[in-house]
Amino acid sequence: QVQLVESGGGLVQAGGSLRLSCAASGRSFSRYVMGWFRQAPGKGREFVARLSWSGSTTAYADSVKGRFTISRDNAKNTVYLQMNSLKPEDTAVYYCAADTNNFYSSRSGDYEYWGQGTQVTVSS
């Protein structure tokens, strides 16, 4: 069982930055692929970024590439999402997720464990 708790969301002006954190329980955190997804009002959940268990391989949605950075600290059982140059269209609830089978995919169905989400609102 893996429990994930996100934090760091909030209200920011366009062009600003936020850093989201996701604290994970469980001794095997360092062996999981981790991902960030988001869901805007009235829209489906979409992939944002993912990170291999070692942290050496990352992938991003085209809409955030060059602005967002995913990273992890396995000693702290935490994964981060640094978000820079935020835009109003980045407004959404952001979720972290754990893929214990190491599919390393962008499909939400490949992630078994999810946090409760944290709201990010970007004003224009």
Side-chain angles (χ1 to χ4, degrees):
Q1 190 77 4
V2 178
Q3 291 186 326
L4 304 172
V5 180
E6 302 98 333
S7 62
L11 174 64
V12 64
Q13 289 189 331
S17 298
L18 282 174
R19 188 175 83 153
L20 306 183
S21 299
C22 173
S25 65
R27 292 172 292 179
S28 299
F29 171 80
S30 63
R31 295 158 57 183
Y32 303 154
V33 169
M34 296 298 295
W36 283 97
F37 292 76
R38 67 186 181 185
Q39 187 165 14
K43 296 187 177 181
R45 191 167 296 188
E46 67 170 349
F47 166 76
V48 175
R50 65 176 183 263
L51 180 69
S52 64
W53 65 269
S54 67
S56 61
T57 307
T58 59
Y60 298 91
D62 287 344
S63 59
V64 307
K65 202 171 294 183
R67 299 188 297 123
F68 290 12
T69 302
I70 188 172
S71 62
R72 69 192 299 161
D73 184 338
N74 286 339
K76 296 182 178 179
N77 277 17
T78 302
V79 64
Y80 305 97
L81 185 68
Q82 178 66 44
M83 306 186 295
N84 298 329
S85 302
L86 283 161
K87 304 175 181 180
E89 51 263 45
D90 294 319
T91 295
V93 177
Y94 283 71
Y95 300 89
C96 72
D99 161 20
T100 63
N101 293 307
N102 287 324
F103 291 122
Y104 193 66
S105 84
S106 302
R107 297 184 299 269
S108 59
D110 286 336
Y111 292 76
E112 301 99 316
Y113 298 101
W114 293 81
Q116 82 289 348
T118 186
Q119 176 71 46
V120 171
T121 303
V122 184
S123 63
S124 57

